[in-house]
Amino acid sequence: AQSVTQLGSHVSVSEGALVLLRCNYSSSVPPYLFWYVQYPNQGLQLLLKYTSAATLVKGINGFEAEFKKSETSFHLTKPSAHMSDAAEYFCAVIRGEKAGTALIFGKGTTLSVSS
Amino acid sequence: NAGVMQNPRHLVRRRGQEARLRCSPMKGHSHVYWYRQLPEEGLKFMVYLQKENIIDESGMPKERFSAEFPKEGPSILRIQQVVRGDSAAYFCASSLQGGNQPQHFGDGTRLSIL
């Protein structure tokens, strides 16, 4: 069965510092992986997706993630944090061995950015 | 606004009442998913529907909860005889196709049970 684990429920960085949000997956088949961001009282916005085309995936707002099969990881990074990046971030995997249906989410990581 | 539209944004019900949550998918999308977000638990899948069909309801509680996506109109998540534990944010997402297509989320309905 597919699952994702986000390490660290809360990450704090200074403005301009590197952002690293960790996600490890478990999957019996090649996974389809996603990162979403949620701002307070809003829905989830898709940051980027991995669908096996390339291991380094670039997303919106300067974020990118690297798929590492050997480490079963899909960590999210951004070279320089901005105050507007403060939000909750969710890693997700498509459930099931056949493509389709539900997303399985990690518990989320809250990113705080200080000036 | 071409995004996923959910209404109401906030809904207050007393225990025992019924709650109806509506979701209009993005234009052209015929796949709808409902998720529930509880504090400290993250987002959990509830049900996946296509027009007039429930494809996967494995995440739905066995009682009091139902969902539909009629040929015309929005998808409806219905909770009968609400209890305090139903208080949560309910999110709808839609996709152009099933499979690994990205799901686009609405802003959610915050349900509060008095």
Side-chain angles (χ1 to χ4, degrees):
Chain A
Q2 277 70 8
S3 66
V4 290
T5 301
Q6 292 185 242
L7 302 175
S9 59
H10 198 160
V11 171
S12 297
V13 299
S14 300
E15 194 172 21
L18 171 71
V19 175
L20 171 61
L21 304 182
R22 300 177 188 274
C23 174
N24 287 89
Y25 69 89
S26 172
S27 178
S28 57
V29 296
Y32 293 104
L33 294 158
F34 305 83
W35 274 100
Y36 284 86
V37 60
Q38 185 180 30
Y39 298 99
N41 296 316
Q42 294 186 25
L44 279 73
Q45 181 181 6
L46 180 67
L47 279 176
L48 49 82
K49 63 176 182 177
Y50 168 75
T51 55
S52 76
T55 57
L56 183 62
V57 182
K58 294 188 182 299
I60 62 171
N61 301 339
F63 284 93
E64 62 182 34
E66 186 173 8
F67 174 75
K68 292 186 177 180
K69 184 178 180 180
S70 61
E71 299 177 8
T72 62
S73 68
F74 190 56
H75 301 331
L76 182 71
T77 60
K78 181 174 180 177
S80 177
H82 192 272
M83 297 293 284
S84 61
D85 294 326
E88 189 160 20
Y89 292 80
F90 292 93
C91 181
V93 64
I94 288 283
R95 188 184 75 172
E97 294 191 355
K98 59 179 181 180
T101 69
L103 287 169
I104 297 174
F105 287 90
K107 289 185 180 289
T109 298
T110 300
L111 176 65
S112 300
V113 182
S114 58
S115 58
Chain B
N1 186 342
V4 177
M5 301 300 294
Q6 290 189 249
N7 67 82
R9 289 294 308 277
H10 300 274
L11 183 61
V12 179
R13 285 288 178 266
R14 297 187 179 279
R15 282 178 294 171
Q17 291 184 320
E18 178 180 287
R20 281 182 181 244
L21 289 61
R22 298 175 192 80
C23 169
S24 295
M26 286 182 69
K27 187 176 182 180
H29 287 194
S30 60
H31 299 254
V32 166
Y33 312 79
W34 286 93
Y35 294 84
R36 179 166 61 176
Q37 187 175 36
L38 290 162
E40 308 302 325
E41 289 191 19
L43 284 134
K44 302 291 186 184
F45 166 75
M46 300 181 75
V47 62
Y48 165 37
L49 310 101
Q50 294 179 35
K51 283 287 187 182
E52 300 184 275
N53 289 302
I54 296 174
I55 307 302
D56 180 356
E57 57 181 345
S58 58
M60 288 278 270
K62 293 290 186 285
E63 298 176 346
R64 301 187 297 108
F65 286 72
S66 62
E68 63 178 9
F69 189 16
K71 187 176 181 180
E72 300 291 338
S75 175
I76 305 289
L77 179 67
R78 181 184 180 203
I79 311 173
Q80 295 178 287
Q81 299 175 327
V82 296
V83 300
R84 289 245 169 92
D86 297 331
S87 295
Y90 292 82
F91 290 95
C92 171
S94 72
S95 65
L96 185 61
Q97 300 173 7
N100 57 37
Q101 294 297 306
Q103 295 176 22
H104 300 268
F105 284 76
D107 284 341
T109 293
R110 271 82 181 162
L111 177 64
S112 298
I113 309 302
L114 302 180

